[in-house]
């Protein structure tokens, strides 16, 4: 695909799994899904849960991942305390404006990256933090959204600050809740979001897709469901995420797409393509034991 192709022509974005990056780091990644598949093992549509083999016939590694994902989801559902964050919205309209800004700012990272976003959790933190600054005219000039962006209403909610740092996310439950501007991927979903199960029909714009990849140095990965994109004329199921930096690998283990130490990049893909990802470990389907589920951020005390 040439550099002159417009956004609407980019029907399929490159979306290799976290750490699997191309040798070069172009600003916009536009490799077709078919080109990303292994040459001798094209992967078809994901298997439906009813089409899976019986558990007794599955490899032990698959069963182990399935048990781990199930235990992790149960832990997040049962053990997580009620969310009581420091953000206070003025009313329902203010909360809705925040949601629109959150989605717009996460989506915009694909078109103009900012240095504070260097992994999947940083993408979420950036969108939350900057959405709360949207009422400032000076901020709107500095944020430099892509041309043609439909700007939502400003958010009037405020968050407490300590020594200049916003107290946005709950980072500790006991003894007594504690809040901070930084929270990693696991903390974002366990203490600042509500689990919605593993069926993508529950997705709404701004929801998080959470994967746990055993064996990686940073196993927890988040993607943001955008839905209809302000920057794409076609499609209503866009997903945006940061691949995260690729960690060094043990000697003799080849990197699947990029050299160790790559900083990673923001990528954007249709959900319809993501469920057919060349690597089954990155498909947001119930049959994938590494897909923990869908989570909805709850940053106020409603």
């Amino acid at each position: 695909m040439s550099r002159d192709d417009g956004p609407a022509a980019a029907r399929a974005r490159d979306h290799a799994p976290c750490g699997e990056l191309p040798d070069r780091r172009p600003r916009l990644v536009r490799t077709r899904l078919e080109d990303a598949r292994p040459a001798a093992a094209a992967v078809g549509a994901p298997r439906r849960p009813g089409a899976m083999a019986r558990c007794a016939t599955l490899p032990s590694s698959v069963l182990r991942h399935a048990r781990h994902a199930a235990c992790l989801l149960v832990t997040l559902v049962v053990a997580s305390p009620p969310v009581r964050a420091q953000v206070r919205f003025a009313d329902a309209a203010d909360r809705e404006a925040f949601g629109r800004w959150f989605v717009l700012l996460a989506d915009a990272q694909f078109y103009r990256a900012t240095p504070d976003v260097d992994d999947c959790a940083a993408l979420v933190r950036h969108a939350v933090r900057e959405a709360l600054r949207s009422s400032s005219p000076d901020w709107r000039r500095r944020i430099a959204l892509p041309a043609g962006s439909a700007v939502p209403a400003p958010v009037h909610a405020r968050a407490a600050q300590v020594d200049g740092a916003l107290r946005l996310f709950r980072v500790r439950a006991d003894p007594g809740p504690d809040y901070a501007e930084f929270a990693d991927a696991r903390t974002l979903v366990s203490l600042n979001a509500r689990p919605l199960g593993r069926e993508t029909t529950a997705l709404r714009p701004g929801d998080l897709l959470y994967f746990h990849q055993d064996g990686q140095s940073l196993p927890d990965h988040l993607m943001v469901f955008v839905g209809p994109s302000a920057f794409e004329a076609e499609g209503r199921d866009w997903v945006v995420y940061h691949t995260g930096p690729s960690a060094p690998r043990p000697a003799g283990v080849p990197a699947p797409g990029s050299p160790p130490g790559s900083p990673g990049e923001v990528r954007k893909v249709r959900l319809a393509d993501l469920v057919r990802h060349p690597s089954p470990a990155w498909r947001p389907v119930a049959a994938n034991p590494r897909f923990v589920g869908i989570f909805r951020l709850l940053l106020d005390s409603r």
Side-chain angles (χ1 to χ4, degrees), residues 74-294:
V74 169
T75 299
L76 295 175
V77 171
V78 177
S80 298
V83 175
R84 293 188 181 90
Q86 297 284 23
V87 179
R88 297 293 180 264
F89 296 105
D91 50 30
D94 199 35
R95 186 180 296 115
E96 181 178 354
F98 170 83
R100 292 179 181 275
W101 271 110
F102 174 84
V103 170
L104 180 65
L105 289 163
D107 194 9
Q109 279 291 313
F110 178 73
Y111 302 92
R112 59 102 185 90
T114 56
D116 59 316
V117 176
D118 55 7
D119 63 17
C120 60
L123 175 64
V124 176
R125 295 193 302 268
H126 167 87
V128 170
R129 181 180 62 251
E130 299 304 322
L132 293 173
R133 295 172 174 167
S134 61
S135 62
S136 166
D138 180 62
W139 175 88
R140 293 198 186 198
R141 288 191 295 270
R142 290 187 291 103
I143 198 64
L145 290 172
S149 304
V151 178
V155 178
H156 299 289
R158 291 291 179 268
Q161 295 190 43
V162 176
D163 297 329
L166 292 171
R167 294 168 60 84
L168 293 175
F169 305 107
R170 192 172 191 175
V171 294
R172 186 180 65 202
D174 295 312
D178 193 14
Y179 302 87
E181 189 168 332
F182 178 89
D184 60 19
R186 177 72 176 270
T187 303
L188 286 171
V189 296
S190 63
L191 295 179
N192 299 276
R194 175 165 59 94
L196 300 175
R198 302 173 72 212
E199 296 295 335
T200 55
T201 52
L203 281 167
R204 296 180 187 173
D207 286 347
L208 307 178
L209 295 94
Y210 175 35
F211 295 82
H212 183 85
Q213 305 288 358
D214 277 340
Q216 293 192 359
S217 59
L218 299 173
D220 300 299
H221 301 276
L222 300 175
M223 300 181 181
V224 178
F225 181 70
V226 172
S229 172
F231 312 111
E232 299 288 343
E234 301 179 3
R236 301 182 61 82
D237 63 342
W238 290 102
V239 176
V240 65
Y241 62 98
H242 195 288
T243 61
S246 60
R249 296 173 179 270
V253 178
S258 63
S262 172
E265 63 187 354
V266 177
R267 294 181 178 176
K268 184 173 180 177
V269 64
R270 296 277 301 274
L271 180 66
D273 290 331
L274 189 60
V275 298
R276 298 184 292 114
H277 195 286
S279 171
W282 293 103
R283 297 175 186 171
V285 296
N288 176 15
R290 298 174 186 263
F291 174 53
V292 181
I294 298 164

Side-chain angles (χ1 to χ4, degrees), residues 13-17 20 31-39 277-279:
R13 308 280 186 180
D14 178 23
H15 52 278
E20 296 189 14
T31 304
R32 293 186 181 276
L33 178 65
E34 292 85 347
D35 298 334
R37 292 175 177 167
H277 195 286
S279 171

